Amino acid sequence: MADPITHPVQLVQPDGRRVFDREHAALVSDIGPDRLRQLYEDMAVVRRIDVEATALQRQGQLGLWPPLLGQEAAQIGSAHALHPDDYVFCSYREAGVAYCRGVDTSLLTRLWRGVDHHCWDPADINMTNPAIVVGAQGLHATGYAYAAQLDGAEIAVLTYFGDGATSQGDIAEALGFAASWSAPVVFFCTNNQWAISEPVHVQSPTPIVRRAYGYGIPGVQVDGNDVLAVLAMTRWAVARARAGGGPSFVEAITYRMGPHTTADDPTRYRSAAETELWRRRDPIDRIRRLLEREELWDSDFEDRVQSRCDEIGGRVRAATIDLPDPDPAQLFEHVYTTDHPLIAEERRQYAAYLAAGESDAPPIAEGVRA
Amino acid sequence: MITTFAGALNTGLRRALEDDPKVVLMGEDIGRLGGVFRVTDTLQKDFGNHRVIDTPLAESGIIGTAFGMALRGYRPVCEIQFDGFVYPAFDQIVSQVAKIHYRTRGKVFAPLTIRIPCGGGIGSVEHHSESPEAYFAHTAGLRVIAPSDPADAYLLLRQAISLDDPVIFFEPKRRYWDKADIDVDALDDDPFPIDRARIRREGDDATVVAYGGMVRTALTAAEIAAGEGHSLEVIDLRSLSPIDVDTVEESVRRTGRLVIAHEAPVFAGLGAEIAARVTERCFYYLEAPVLRVGGFDIPYPPAKLERHHLPDPDRILAAVDRTLAA
Ligand SMILES: Cc1ncc(C[n+]2csc(CCOP(=O)(O)OP(=O)(O)O)c2C)c(N)n1
């Protein structure tokens, strides 16, 4: 077998030709024409959601958005490896994963518009809300997985995080706990080459996946712009977890095509040539070429995908614009699960203050950063 | 020079790097990018990546390794990207950095400056608008500083870096774009102590104490009050640990009334400390109970609600009205 680090697993080449790799291709041998087209459609829809949300931010409808442009294959490929009863612990960039898990797309922008701290009800799609504190979710996933194992549930837990996050103690500790407990957790690292302005080598001089080896956790590098390869290797890891094989690590090598968030300016730290190089490896173009080669592409299909993109894009836009500003009473809700005298007093006082008309509380935002 | 608050800090860091080869800057994205708020803009280009260090993405790592460098005679100035991300480093700060001088009975010191953009008002998402000052002020061994305008940002940063105590340096992020004309050479010669409060506006009817991002809000409130015939004295605390109670006491003895305004939740916040100390010292001079205006005792709310949470001039004036009516 080729060195998995110098040769990340790849099943489709950038020009759409299949790679001869019998071992890994076997993991996706059941993916026929319909499922291939579904993968394409999901990637196209997710790109549309992302482009729409980015535009909404530029138009002042969202405070912030973390684009996932270029990372569609990593998200859609991995999400397709999961069952509905598996559980996902995400970072802030996994809107595409949420889509695959069936989120109501009208909820995707709530947090980023600033009306709420959450987007969806985690129980609806077995997926946590966006985690802003980098790396924290790795430990949560490990604890959840261990608990599921104690309960005798045959599920896998998958946690997403970036290459930068692997520098956090929380991720290192999560690897240690998961290995010690043999917990059914999949560490899915989206190595998009950058942590805001820091290239991946600031985090680690050796390939990220090697970090897992030190804990005795098997891992694999996969071409993160190849949706089939990502699906295959995530299936491998998920199957291991479900079968009681313990944790594993998947490093998806991909690229963040856009800014870190809409507040970021990537021209300050990376070259246009680098971005251009990756544009040629675009994950959606790749599967389209595969479909064309395998004669699964026709104008009917193209139109169908287009109208699905328009429908969902329009839905995200309308839902965002229609979101009203929250009632100030929401400030005091759900701080505790039971009555709390201090909160009750503040709620009363502030309602009286507003009723007395002392303040129209003008908007104070002076700019948005993250 | 005409500069922003962020620009003043940038100049302060530049001069500190020039003056002392042992000063190093450490943090996430502070190099090429110049920090997410551009406070370290161009410094890596001019001083090299061994003095302006882009660290791995790990706050405990930043503070813990800075502490180690300090043990070897360096003077690290660390940037924590946002207030809400200092907590992974909390253990290093309060258990190690704060205690080393005491633990070694004065043999070892840790001259770290830990810069933290803090507070709300920029419409950001969760964990980007916190006011964690009370956690640090509660820890013996740390000094806590909060400048409110560009000149003081420069002066206090220069003084903080030259201190041998560890300093938590809170930069009110909604003020980063405030502009002023400052004379940095004059500031370098300014002997005004780092731990003394400043009276920003004189007045006789009531004293308003504020710090950091809230000072400008308090000054606006005082301006409005003046139009209504009330003269407010506004004190900018500057140092949150230690607190210059003398300056506040002197003012309250004259005005007889005190309102304290901060962004942080009121419960167990710095306002409580100031109120208690002023009451101890000025009980017979007070015409009314000391009042506090602050954030509600809730997690920092979503951006669309922060205008309700973050005290504005009207909320300060409502408290002023109450104290004047008493
Ligand atoms: C504990 C913590 N420190 C700093 C930040 C600020 N921050 C947000 S995202 C980010 C970079 C994360 O990079 P990576 O883990 O590679 O994920 P990516 O954003 O590239 O998907 C940083 C520094 C944060 N959110 N949490």
Side-chain angles (χ1 to χ4, degrees):
Chain A
M1 193 180 111
D3 177 354
I5 286 171
T6 48
H7 295 91
V9 174
Q10 187 184 63
L11 296 177
V12 182
Q13 297 174 41
D15 63 7
R17 263 181 305 169
R18 294 212 188 227
V19 176
F20 182 73
D21 176 342
R22 195 175 284 155
E23 182 192 351
H24 298 117
L27 290 157
V28 287
S29 57
D30 60 316
I31 302 293
D34 289 348
R35 197 69 194 277
L36 266 188
R37 286 171 152 198
Q38 188 63 48
L39 288 167
Y40 175 85
E41 179 191 305
D42 284 0
M43 289 167 71
V45 169
V46 162
R47 178 163 292 183
R48 178 60 174 273
I49 291 172
D50 187 58
V51 166
E52 200 72 62
T54 304
L56 282 163
Q57 194 282 332
R58 301 296 183 218
Q59 293 156 9
Q61 295 290 344
L62 296 179
L64 191 76
W65 177 255
L68 62 91
L69 189 73
Q71 300 183 195
E72 295 86 353
Q75 294 198 14
I76 279 70
S78 55
H80 272 257
L82 296 167
H83 292 183
D85 58 347
D86 293 333
Y87 208 100
V88 173
F89 287 76
C90 60
S91 83
Y92 37 79
R93 213 184 287 287
E94 278 83 34
V97 176
Y99 173 75
C100 293
R101 295 192 68 73
V103 74
D104 173 351
T105 49
S106 68
L107 300 174
L108 284 171
T109 51
R110 295 178 65 80
L111 183 154
W112 309 106
R113 187 167 165 91
V115 300
D116 235 322
H117 282 328
H118 73 289
C119 292
W120 52 84
D121 181 343
D124 286 347
I125 57 171
N126 278 356
M127 174 166 169
T128 55
N129 269 279
I132 307 282
V133 178
V134 166
Q137 70 274 19
L139 283 165
H140 310 159
T142 303
Y144 191 99
Y146 182 54
Q149 189 180 48
L150 292 180
D151 289 344
E154 283 175 20
I155 64 163
V157 176
L158 186 142
T159 179
Y160 290 94
F161 52 89
D163 42 298
T166 62
S167 291
Q168 286 286 352
D170 278 3
I171 293 295
E173 291 177 29
L175 292 170
F177 275 65
S180 168
W181 288 341
S182 193
V185 57
V186 176
F187 293 93
F188 190 96
C189 178
T190 307
N191 178 357
N192 64 9
Q193 312 304 320
W194 292 91
I196 309 189
S197 73
E198 299 187 345
V200 61
H201 64 76
V202 170
Q203 314 299 335
S204 173
T206 64
I208 295 285
V209 68
R210 287 226 170 108
R211 302 200 153 188
Y213 301 169
Y215 291 92
I217 296 177
V220 63
Q221 270 190 338
V222 58
D223 182 334
N225 286 14
D226 173 352
V227 71
L228 271 188
V230 175
L231 173 59
M233 299 326 295
T234 314
R235 277 181 164 184
W236 160 79
V238 164
R240 259 179 62 84
R242 273 211 210 88
S248 35
F249 196 103
V250 178
E251 179 189 356
I253 314 282
T254 181
Y255 192 77
R256 156 166 64 74
M257 291 300 300
H260 166 71
T261 67
T262 45
D264 174 44
D265 173 10
T267 63
R268 290 182 73 104
Y269 53 80
R270 67 186 189 188
S271 71
E274 179 188 294
T275 313
E276 188 46 41
L277 184 80
W278 282 88
R279 197 183 310 281
R280 283 187 243 122
R281 300 178 192 159
D282 185 276
I284 300 188
D285 289 349
R286 188 175 314 187
I287 183 159
R288 177 179 171 146
R289 288 184 193 120
L290 173 73
L291 291 172
E292 283 168 351
R293 274 180 191 281
E294 303 194 351
E295 292 175 3
L296 298 170
W297 186 270
D298 56 51
S299 60
D300 273 2
F301 174 65
E302 190 171 5
D303 293 347
R304 209 170 69 225
V305 171
Q306 187 60 44
S307 62
R308 180 98 176 121
C309 288
D310 292 345
E311 177 203 326
I312 295 183
R315 187 169 153 81
V316 169
R317 165 164 292 269
T320 303
I321 293 173
D322 289 347
L323 269 178
D325 282 3
D327 185 325
Q330 184 185 307
L331 286 164
F332 306 102
E333 288 166 7
H334 308 301
V335 183
Y336 300 93
T337 55
T338 50
D339 289 345
H340 188 285
L342 178 58
I343 301 289
E345 185 188 356
E346 288 186 348
R347 182 198 291 121
R348 224 174 16 250
Q349 281 173 355
Y350 192 59
Y353 173 79
L354 286 179
E358 306 226 34
S359 169
D360 320 322
I364 49 160
E366 292 164 22
V368 180
R369 294 287 186 285
Chain B
M1 61 189 260
I2 298 190
T3 182
T4 58
F5 193 113
L9 292 168
N10 180 272
T11 306
L13 293 171
R14 172 175 293 279
R15 290 207 166 183
L17 286 161
E18 280 163 2
D19 288 356
D20 183 351
K22 292 295 186 195
V23 168
V24 292
L25 313 189
M26 304 170 67
E28 297 159 10
D29 303 293
I30 67 168
R32 274 283 246 313
L33 187 65
V36 293
F37 292 106
R38 311 288 186 255
V39 171
T40 55
D41 201 13
T42 67
L43 297 177
Q44 191 181 63
K45 181 164 70 62
D46 296 343
F47 294 91
N49 58 10
H50 295 293
R51 297 203 62 206
V52 180
I53 306 165
D54 263 336
T55 64
L57 204 180
E59 290 74 16
S60 180
I62 293 169
I63 303 302
T65 57
F67 181 65
M69 291 184 78
L71 298 181
R72 176 93 196 162
Y74 281 77
R75 304 184 81 84
V77 181
C78 303
E79 175 174 298
I80 298 292
Q81 201 159 75
F82 277 90
D83 35 49
F85 309 142
V86 69
Y87 306 121
F90 196 68
D91 172 56
Q92 286 291 338
I93 296 172
V94 304
S95 305
Q96 307 301 329
V97 173
K99 295 185 170 59
I100 189 70
H101 197 59
Y102 191 74
R103 182 194 291 151
T104 60
R105 297 192 50 83
K107 292 196 173 58
V108 179
F109 60 98
L112 265 69
T113 302
I114 302 173
R115 297 181 33 244
I116 309 177
C118 72
I122 65 163
S124 206
V125 293
E126 248 196 317
H127 311 291
H128 288 73
S129 305
E130 316 233 318
S131 297
E133 62 268 21
Y135 298 128
F136 297 100
H138 193 66
T139 300
L142 301 175
R143 283 174 177 268
V144 183
I145 299 296
S148 67
D149 66 16
D152 236 18
Y154 178 86
L155 176 63
L156 289 169
L157 182 62
R158 293 282 277 155
Q159 292 178 338
I161 295 172
S162 67
L163 275 181
D164 286 338
D165 287 327
V167 179
I168 310 292
F169 193 85
F170 284 112
E171 301 168 2
K173 60 178 89 81
R174 69 186 150 132
R175 302 290 175 232
Y176 273 138
W177 301 277
D178 284 5
K179 274 197 179 141
D181 192 0
I182 68 175
D183 178 347
V184 287
D185 292 322
L187 287 168
D188 275 342
D189 296 331
D190 189 339
F192 199 87
I194 187 169
D195 49 14
R196 279 277 301 286
R198 272 195 213 256
I199 297 175
R200 296 286 180 194
R201 180 185 174 113
E202 292 184 357
D204 308 314
D205 295 341
T207 304
V208 178
V209 168
Y211 54 86
M214 196 53 75
V215 172
R216 208 175 93 184
T217 313
L219 287 170
T220 306
E223 195 65 41
I224 298 169
E228 294 166 355
H230 301 307
S231 140
L232 302 185
E233 179 140 304
V234 177
I235 297 179
D236 174 359
L237 220 46
R238 302 169 83 244
S239 173
L240 313 185
S241 177
I243 287 173
D244 175 9
V245 189
D246 291 348
T247 298
V248 182
E249 175 186 354
E250 206 189 306
S251 173
V252 173
R253 277 174 189 249
R254 269 191 302 104
T255 64
R257 295 177 159 89
L258 175 61
V259 171
I260 305 148
H262 54 57
E263 290 186 35
V266 170
F267 186 77
L270 285 191
E273 185 61 41
I274 299 163
R277 285 184 190 264
V278 168
T279 306
E280 280 165 14
R281 293 197 190 187
C282 308
F283 188 67
Y284 294 105
Y285 294 84
L286 283 168
E287 306 281 348
V290 178
L291 295 180
R292 291 170 290 162
V293 180
F296 301 118
D297 290 292
I298 60 171
Y300 201 88
K304 294 273 189 193
L305 284 172
E306 69 175 338
R307 69 199 161 104
H308 293 283
H309 177 71
L310 198 54
D312 60 1
D314 283 337
R315 289 235 326 259
I316 295 176
L317 288 170
V320 166
D321 286 349
R322 274 177 65 204
T323 183
L324 289 175

